[in-house]
Amino acid sequence: MRAIIALSLGILLASCASGGPPRQVIERWERAVANAPGAAQPSRIVATELGFARAAQEQGQWTATLDYAAPGAVLHGRNGPVDAATTLGRLRNPEQSAAWSTRTVVMSCDGALAVSQGRFMDAERKVGNYVTVWKRQSDGSYRWQYDVAGRDDPQPAPRVEPDIPEGAIVVEALDTIRGLVADCTRGREVPPPPALSLASEHPQNAILSRDGTLRWRWEHQPDGTKYVAVDFYSGGRWQTPLEEALTSPPEG
């Protein structure tokens, strides 16, 4: 099953400049997905990310990050994964929070595990990609379990705003979010995912969803590169819809 969710670019990407999507937008999303059929709903992750982004602007980035964290959540930083509660508990919120928007959501068949990927803009107005792993809690909400991000290198050229005549009517383009859900096998056993290479000097850490239909894996390389990938069972075979090699900004 594949879901395609179309959202207005003016809602998602305007958050980078205006402090996140309006609360009314988040509330509409929550009402829309409240009675959606099926356990695996990528739209629930999108709604959660919208709420998270808004909370970061209103409450402070690290406060919101901890509020949305699952027990034992880890941040993958320049030196490897660290405990989020311990690390962020020592930090003060930055004056300006980062802003971000979702591009892809991949979910296990049972909806218990999901991975989102998207774009961010930090306080220095540098842009890049992020990947977040979401785990469904006992109350049905989603909290993040793992998060990694890295700036584009090189950074894209500054965007040139078009010269719009006074009084013109502007219609925002639509930005498409991919929503991918692993196949439900209706009682049939899911074949195991491909074995990880043991020849690498930097073995990957892999976590399989409880229903066996989604696997996410990460690796921290000696040069500081943060590698993360997602495999899911779809179309009768294992596929890799997400794969990122992310770098940290230079120190100093």
Side-chain angles (χ1 to χ4, degrees), residues 192-208 214-220 227-232 238-240 242-243:
L196 302 178
S197 174
L198 299 179
S200 172
E201 296 179 4
H202 327 297
Q204 295 177 18
N205 300 270
I207 295 89
L208 186 67
L214 182 147
R215 177 180 69 180
W216 65 279
R217 45 197 168 95
W218 64 268
E219 174 185 325
H220 191 83
Y227 173 84
V228 61
V230 177
D231 311 305
F232 82 139
W238 282 91
Q239 302 182 45
T240 305
L242 284 182
E243 192 169 20

Side-chain angles (χ1 to χ4, degrees), residues 76-110:
H76 194 161
R78 67 171 66 249
N79 297 315
V82 296
D83 180 75
T86 302
T87 302
L88 299 182
R90 297 193 295 257
L91 302 179
R92 296 180 61 183
N93 288 317
E95 292 186 7
Q96 181 177 346
S97 172
W100 62 92
S101 59
T102 317
R103 290 291 180 270
T104 300
V105 176
V106 188
M107 299 190 82
S108 61
C109 165
D110 64 3

Side-chain angles (χ1 to χ4, degrees), residues 76-77 120 128-131 146-151 226 246-249:
H76 194 161
F120 73 86
N129 288 346
Y130 73 87
V131 176
Y146 168 94
D147 185 75
V148 63
R151 290 177 176 175
K226 299 164 287 189
L246 304 166
T247 58
S248 297

Side-chain angles (χ1 to χ4, degrees), residues 9-251:
L9 189 65
I11 293 174
L12 286 179
L13 296 188
S15 65
C16 295
S18 62
R23 184 171 298 281
Q24 296 91 330
V25 172
I26 298 171
E27 292 173 351
R28 285 201 299 270
W29 261 97
E30 291 174 342
R31 288 196 299 269
V33 303
N35 298 311
Q41 293 293 325
S43 55
R44 294 184 184 276
I45 302 301
V46 178
T48 301
E49 290 241 28
L50 285 170
F52 183 8
R54 186 68 186 184
Q57 300 294 334
E58 294 178 346
Q59 303 170 16
Q61 185 167 336
W62 305 141
T63 298
T65 299
L66 288 176
D67 284 348
Y68 276 78
V74 297
L75 295 165
H76 194 161
R78 67 171 66 249
N79 297 315
V82 296
D83 180 75
T86 302
T87 302
L88 299 182
R90 297 193 295 257
L91 302 179
R92 296 180 61 183
N93 288 317
E95 292 186 7
Q96 181 177 346
S97 172
W100 62 92
S101 59
T102 317
R103 290 291 180 270
T104 300
V105 176
V106 188
M107 299 190 82
S108 61
C109 165
D110 64 3
L113 191 66
V115 183
S116 62
Q117 181 271 346
R119 297 285 289 167
F120 73 86
M121 178 185 290
D122 63 22
E124 298 177 31
R125 302 193 69 78
K126 302 294 185 181
V127 298
N129 288 346
Y130 73 87
V131 176
T132 305
V133 177
W134 297 89
K135 186 176 181 180
R136 190 172 60 204
Q137 305 300 296
S138 59
D139 63 358
S141 67
Y142 285 91
R143 292 291 181 263
W144 71 270
Q145 185 177 34
Y146 168 94
D147 185 75
V148 63
R151 290 177 176 175
D152 290 353
D153 186 15
Q155 287 284 297
R159 180 180 175 182
V160 178
E161 297 294 338
D163 186 14
I164 301 174
E166 184 178 354
I169 298 175
V170 178
V171 179
E172 296 283 0
L174 288 180
D175 189 36
T176 299
I177 298 175
R178 287 196 305 163
L180 307 175
V181 179
D183 288 349
C184 296
T185 58
R186 301 183 185 278
R188 291 181 288 110
E189 186 175 352
V190 179
L196 302 178
S197 174
L198 299 179
S200 172
E201 296 179 4
H202 327 297
Q204 295 177 18
N205 300 270
I207 295 89
L208 186 67
S209 65
R210 68 183 184 186
D211 69 353
T213 64
L214 182 147
R215 177 180 69 180
W216 65 279
R217 45 197 168 95
W218 64 268
E219 174 185 325
H220 191 83
Q221 300 174 356
D223 65 355
T225 298
K226 299 164 287 189
Y227 173 84
V228 61
V230 177
D231 311 305
F232 82 139
Y233 188 70
S234 179
R237 63 187 179 92
W238 282 91
Q239 302 182 45
T240 305
L242 284 182
E243 192 169 20
E244 293 278 1
L246 304 166
T247 58
S248 297
E251 295 186 270

